Amino acid sequence: MVREFHDRLRARVREKLGRDAEPSAGITDSQSVKADAVVGTDSRGYDGGKQINGRKRHVVVDTLGLLLGVMVTSADIGDRAAAQVLLARVADAHHRLALVWADGGYTGSLVEHCLAAFALVLAIVKRSDDVKGFVVLPKRWIVERLFAHLMQSRRLARDYERRTTSAEAMIYWSMTTVMTRRLARPHRGQV
């Protein structure tokens, strides 16, 4: 029910901005967050790369930064394994989706699998080895902005939910708040 409300609102935001209600491109990434003590060991894990004991949020957003799909897993689940399941769900729900950008963690057989199974091009955006320090990568900043929105929701700064489905619902509610603000804002040409 939360997801259906969220998806209808996303279509309205996209149409208000002059876009088609259904996206044709997206961006995927994941975020590891610490889990509260109420999170059971069955849905908690340790992400060695980020050194976080908790859960991982795998998301796909459109080019406007609006959520297309989310899957919450234990933090020890790899990005490629989770992306295979999440991209199958998102491709099934959004038939116009043809291109998804991702970071270097999604390379390998996932690229071929997405093309063969979902007719979805998974384009890898890599960071240049020559550049030192922080660099804004094309398209990747959009999904990072979504994570910033989530972290502004106090309830999502840490994972407090007992079940992963509840954690996913909280993410949909947080993005619903972001979209209602966008709809309430006057369009740039108006005022």
Side-chain angles (χ1 to χ4, degrees):
M1 188 161 95
V2 173
R3 184 173 179 190
E4 182 182 346
F5 177 69
H6 170 272
D7 291 350
R8 288 182 183 193
L9 197 56
R10 183 190 60 238
R12 296 233 3 232
V13 171
R14 288 183 59 82
E15 288 169 348
K16 180 182 178 184
L17 295 172
R19 303 285 185 100
D20 193 291
E22 283 297 317
S24 61
I27 305 105
T28 188
D29 204 357
S30 68
Q31 175 190 42
S32 296
V33 290
K34 291 181 180 179
D36 194 59
V38 299
V39 175
T41 56
D42 59 328
S43 65
R44 173 195 294 262
Y46 184 74
D47 180 355
K50 302 271 174 43
Q51 297 182 355
I52 290 180
N53 183 1
R55 288 185 175 155
K56 196 179 276 191
R57 300 169 179 158
H58 306 272
V59 298
V60 179
V61 299
D62 67 4
T63 55
L64 297 173
L66 304 175
L67 188 64
L68 298 178
V70 62
M71 186 170 77
V72 176
T73 64
S74 62
D76 57 352
I77 301 294
D79 290 348
R80 282 175 275 208
Q84 190 169 351
V85 175
L86 180 60
L87 289 173
R89 289 182 195 167
V90 171
D92 188 44
H94 303 282
H95 300 293
R96 287 192 68 232
L97 197 65
L99 172 66
V100 175
W101 288 282
D103 65 17
Y106 296 88
T107 57
S109 63
L110 180 63
V111 175
E112 291 84 22
H113 175 76
C114 287
L115 192 57
F118 321 126
L120 191 63
V121 174
L122 188 63
I124 306 300
V125 179
K126 290 189 178 179
R127 187 172 185 265
S128 174
D129 294 335
D130 303 339
V131 181
K132 300 280 187 213
F134 176 76
V135 177
V136 176
L137 297 174
K139 304 296 181 191
R140 290 273 325 286
W141 65 270
I142 298 170
V143 73
E144 298 299 337
R145 181 179 61 187
L146 173 114
F147 291 139
H149 287 307
L150 294 181
M151 295 311 278
Q152 287 178 346
S153 299
R154 189 170 60 183
R155 179 111 180 228
L156 295 174
R158 175 181 283 250
D159 198 327
Y160 295 102
E161 307 304 320
R162 290 183 190 269
R163 298 182 327 195
T164 57
T165 54
S166 298
E168 291 168 3
M170 292 307 298
I171 292 168
Y172 280 115
W173 274 120
S174 178
M175 289 309 296
T176 298
T177 305
V178 169
M179 290 186 295
T180 52
R181 285 189 195 131
R182 285 190 187 185
L183 283 173
R185 228 184 310 162
H187 191 63
R188 290 187 179 126
Q190 303 168 350
V191 178

